[in-house]
Amino acid sequence: MLSRVHHSVLLGITGACAVLWMCAPLPSARAVETQSPRPSVAEDFPIASGVRIAGDDKQTRFILDLDHKIDVRAFTLNNPYRVVLDIPQVTFNLPTGVGGSGRGLIRAFRYGLVMPGGSRMVFDLTGPAKIEKAYAMEAANDQPARLVLELSAVEPSAFKASSVSSAGSGDLNQLRPAILADADANPAVPDTTGMTKAMTPTDSRLVVVIDPGHGGIDNGTQAPSGEAEKSLVLDFALALRDRIEKSGKYRVVMTRSDDTFIPLGDRVKIARNNMAALFVSIHADALPKKEGDAQGATIYTLSDKASDAEAEKLAEAENKADAIAGVNLTEEPADVADILIDLTQRETRTFSNRFARMLANEMKSVARMHKHPLKSAGFRVLKAHDVPSVLVELGYVSNRDDLQHLVSESWRSRTVGSVAQAVDAFLGKRVVSANPPSN
Ligand code: ZN
């Protein structure tokens, strides 16, 4: 489906979470839109019913047919060259496979929800381009309402991040997904996800942050039968939240609890702002057919040097989540050189590795593990220097048995139980060591 093709086009890589099934039949885009366990697509959102692309590699026009006119904001991004259209939430009823390839300056595109009330289209360009126009038109002369994007090629030296808006009505700031650091927005994004209500001063329990990977416009990997990683891992994460909350011992904060896109940096921020005692990111992997078959769960921790080539490839793929969703990647904060941060980080990594081992031990009694279940690589989502963090790949959606597990209620329940057990064992120890007897 889309994400597969998009991943493949965008990344030009094979393997890992962003895997491609170039030869497999494409499930319909509409099926994907409705796969989310909690669809945020309601009847009364504008409906996008078709796309047309015309032109060549000098000038390209993209048209989206709609049932009524909407506002649009368009901007360009670098590294890789992309154009982003931010629009109000739209129900995309587009034909199967649309966006997998483009024309002229548009190599491929994808679309989806980036926040409640906000949809986004991200275009991968064949080269540097500038936005000539981005505007919406009312229905007229038997033509439906349309959104039009006109691009023209520029020299790489002439490319600059630019922004074009068509606010026919309403406030553009409302149009802009606030959680995304885009071309001209201040990279210091406000924290919008669960932090305010999470910071209850009277609640002194340790905080566990559960991070279901991907979401919204970023589908993650895709099983040949159509199941999207973003939905599988959300189901798992919600069940894990419920299980941990039931014990009453820890406070759980989710980075997302519905089908919304959250940038990687914001996920890390949620962990840090909540002073989390533990951050658990949940994913599901996939291998392309030509790379054979792999199965079982793997637990990843952060390291500067990947434990093996597969881990490195996976981290690269997972780190592309923001590029997929059209987040500006040029504003990466520089690594802070601070000896105290270094020390904290070293201790945090020790804790992360300890938890990873405890988790592997618990999980192996109920779930099938990968033949090398403990690995490490440079995952951006694991980079909170003061929060022990692991990323769990629950299994391979490309493996038939793993997929059967991933969609099975009883497997999920057993495995969630083992993760909750490991969390309790790990945090129980931390509570004891953090509060030595005072007499
Ligand atoms: Zn993933």
Side-chain angles (χ1 to χ4, degrees):
M1 82 100 228
L2 287 164
S3 122
R4 216 160 53 219
V5 172
H6 297 145
H7 273 111
S8 69
V9 171
L10 185 73
L11 307 177
I13 61 132
T14 55
C17 214
V19 156
L20 8 151
W21 300 85
M22 299 300 284
C23 311
L26 290 166
S28 86
R30 195 179 307 192
V32 173
E33 285 294 310
T34 54
Q35 250 169 30
S36 149
R38 294 180 182 185
S40 16
V41 178
E43 296 306 318
D44 51 351
F45 292 117
I47 293 168
S49 55
V51 299
R52 282 163 283 154
I53 306 179
D56 52 30
D57 55 4
K58 294 273 174 293
Q59 285 186 318
T60 305
R61 173 184 285 170
F62 171 87
I63 297 170
L64 181 70
D65 290 332
L66 293 152
D67 66 342
H68 61 265
K69 189 180 163 188
I70 56 173
D71 289 341
V72 57
R73 173 170 172 272
F75 56 92
T76 48
L77 291 174
N78 214 341
N79 293 326
Y81 294 119
R82 286 157 295 164
V83 169
V84 176
L85 293 183
D86 275 342
I87 52 182
Q89 184 164 349
V90 158
T91 301
F92 290 97
N93 281 347
L94 299 179
T96 302
V98 72
S101 62
R103 177 177 175 161
L105 289 160
I106 296 172
R107 190 166 44 144
F109 64 92
R110 58 204 156 269
Y111 51 84
L113 203 60
V114 284
M115 61 181 291
S119 291
R120 172 172 276 199
M121 303 191 81
V122 181
F123 299 83
D124 299 326
L125 304 182
T126 53
K130 104 175 211 257
I131 301 167
E132 294 289 354
K133 282 178 186 159
Y135 56 96
M137 295 168 73
E138 302 278 10
N141 306 327
D142 288 344
Q143 293 272 354
R146 274 153 293 164
L147 189 158
V148 181
L149 170 70
E150 291 178 10
L151 303 173
S152 61
V154 293
E155 291 301 313
S157 58
F159 177 90
K160 59 176 195 287
S162 60
S163 184
V164 174
S165 303
S166 88
S169 63
D171 177 12
L172 265 183
N173 285 325
Q174 285 187 331
L175 201 60
R176 167 189 300 171
I179 56 166
L180 301 173
D182 59 40
D184 58 0
N186 188 325
V189 272
D191 301 312
T192 53
T193 0
M195 263 162 285
T196 36
K197 74 167 189 281
M199 296 298 278
T200 320
T202 51
D203 192 341
S204 62
R205 291 175 300 169
L206 293 178
V207 174
V208 180
V209 171
I210 302 175
D211 173 50
H214 312 279
I217 191 170
D218 173 19
N219 292 299
T221 52
Q222 192 86 17
S225 44
E227 291 86 354
E229 177 187 2
K230 66 172 182 177
S231 308
L232 294 171
V233 300
L234 179 60
D235 289 349
F236 190 95
L238 291 171
L240 179 60
R241 174 194 65 187
D242 294 349
R243 189 72 62 99
I244 294 174
E245 275 182 345
K246 218 163 83 182
S247 80
K249 288 158 94 172
Y250 310 106
R251 194 155 60 79
V252 179
V253 175
M254 304 288 287
T255 56
R256 69 177 180 100
S257 51
D258 57 16
D259 185 23
T260 306
F261 174 79
I262 310 288
L264 295 173
D266 284 11
R267 297 172 191 254
V268 175
K269 265 191 216 158
I270 290 168
R272 297 210 57 229
N273 292 1
N274 282 283
M275 291 180 279
L278 186 61
F279 175 89
V280 183
S281 192
I282 311 283
H283 290 256
D285 205 344
L287 269 193
K289 270 201 174 105
K290 62 179 188 305
E291 291 190 16
D293 203 5
Q295 59 187 40
T298 313
I299 298 155
Y300 290 87
T301 48
L302 179 68
S303 65
D304 301 324
K305 194 173 176 314
S307 54
D308 59 42
E310 282 146 43
E312 187 166 4
K313 213 148 74 171
L314 174 69
E316 237 169 62
E318 296 288 13
N319 289 347
K320 296 281 186 191
D322 289 355
I324 285 162
V327 174
N328 186 15
L329 305 176
T330 54
E331 307 268 3
E332 286 282 309
D335 281 337
V336 188
D338 182 317
I339 183 108
L340 288 176
I341 287 182
D342 270 8
L343 286 171
T344 313
Q345 188 169 47
R346 207 173 309 163
E347 192 192 48
T348 299
R349 288 194 187 184
T350 306
F351 279 124
S352 303
N353 291 334
R354 183 181 302 165
F355 176 65
R357 286 194 300 274
M358 293 169 96
L359 184 55
N361 264 331
E362 288 295 340
M363 282 181 77
K364 76 175 183 213
S365 57
V366 296
R368 184 165 61 179
M369 304 301 286
H370 188 268
K371 57 181 190 274
H372 305 295
L374 291 171
K375 293 190 181 191
S376 66
F379 294 91
R380 283 184 52 210
V381 79
L382 299 181
K383 286 196 171 166
H385 69 272
D386 48 2
V387 180
S389 303
V390 303
L391 183 147
V392 184
E393 297 279 352
L394 293 170
Y396 289 79
V397 299
S398 49
N399 178 272
R400 210 197 307 172
D401 294 346
D402 273 11
L403 182 62
Q404 248 173 31
H405 290 154
L406 287 164
V407 298
S408 136
E409 195 72 53
S410 72
W411 179 90
R412 186 181 308 137
S413 172
R414 282 198 312 274
T415 310
V416 155
S418 71
V419 179
Q421 186 84 33
V423 167
D424 191 35
F426 175 75
L427 292 182
K429 270 205 178 110
R430 285 209 78 176
V431 172
V432 171
S433 63
N435 301 304
S438 53
N439 52 343

